[in-house]
């Protein structure tokens, strides 16, 4: 008589996100389309709430003048090609203003009154793009509810 081996145990049940390779929030009923729709709604909400601040000032004041002046100086000194080595070699002596933002402004810098409006628009677009990236990351990690809470 030979003994029959006991039946093999079935593996423990795992959550759908672990077995299917999809994020947990899509396994719970949220599709990718609805997640992107919530991200888009969050970006539109942030954009509409920030527009009044964009139109609030028509002339540069206080620290904005220094940013515009330094961006013009960087543009006149050669832009990215000369300013980037200056920043890495320690020749950039400005301790109060981050050079990356000034280098971005230097790409659109000109000594005319319209530069302030272009700089404000560039700053607004950078902020909106950063918000979009943040909301997409939050959507991927925690789903549409996380996007709503962050927005």
């Amino acid at each position: 008589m030979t003994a029959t081996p006991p039946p093999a145990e079935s593996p423990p049940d795992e959550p759908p996100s672990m077995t299917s390779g999809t994020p947990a929030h899509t396994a719970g009923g949220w599709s990718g389309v609805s997640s992107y729709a919530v991200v888009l709604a969050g970006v539109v909400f942030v954009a509409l709430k920030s527009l009044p601040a964009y139109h609030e000032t028509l002339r540069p004041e206080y620290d904005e003048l220094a940013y515009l002046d330094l961006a013009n100086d960087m543009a006149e000194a050669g832009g990215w090609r000369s300013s980037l080595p200056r920043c890495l070699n320690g020749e950039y002596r400005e301790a109060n203003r981050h050079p990356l933002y000034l280098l971005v402004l230097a790409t659109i810098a000109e000594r005319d009154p319209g530069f302030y409006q272009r700089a404000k628009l560039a700053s607004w677009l950078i902020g909106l793009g950063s918000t979009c990236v943040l909301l997409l990351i939050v959507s991927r990690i925690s789903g549409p509810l996380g996007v709503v809470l962050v927005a």
Side-chain angles (χ1 to χ4, degrees):
M1 287 181 116
T2 60
T4 59
E9 293 183 26
S10 62
D13 290 336
E14 294 182 13
S17 64
M18 299 301 288
T19 58
S20 65
T22 59
H25 66 271
T26 56
W30 288 96
S31 69
V33 174
S34 65
S35 183
Y36 288 124
V38 173
V39 168
L40 180 64
V43 169
V44 169
F45 172 76
V46 170
L48 292 176
K49 292 300 277 182
S50 64
L51 275 177
Y54 173 76
H55 292 291
E56 192 170 286
T57 58
L58 299 176
R59 293 184 310 270
E61 299 173 346
Y62 309 114
D63 203 34
E64 295 168 336
L65 290 170
Y67 273 100
L68 298 177
D69 192 39
L70 282 171
N72 277 322
D73 290 345
M74 284 186 162
E76 290 169 357
W80 285 86
R81 291 184 185 185
S82 68
S83 298
L84 195 56
R86 282 182 46 213
C87 292
L88 295 175
N89 293 333
E91 297 172 23
Y92 179 75
R93 300 280 184 209
E94 182 66 39
N96 195 25
R97 293 168 188 87
H98 197 281
L100 182 61
Y101 179 64
L102 293 171
L103 286 171
V104 169
L105 288 182
T107 60
I108 59 171
E110 291 179 5
R111 294 218 181 257
D112 68 354
F115 172 44
Y116 176 62
Q117 293 299 321
R118 287 190 307 275
K120 282 177 56 173
L121 180 62
S123 296
W124 186 76
L125 290 173
I126 289 169
L128 194 61
S130 301
T131 302
C132 184
V133 168
L134 172 75
L135 292 178
L136 284 172
I137 291 170
V138 169
S139 168
R140 182 76 178 145
I141 293 171
S142 64
L145 181 61
V147 172
V148 171
L149 293 175
V150 169

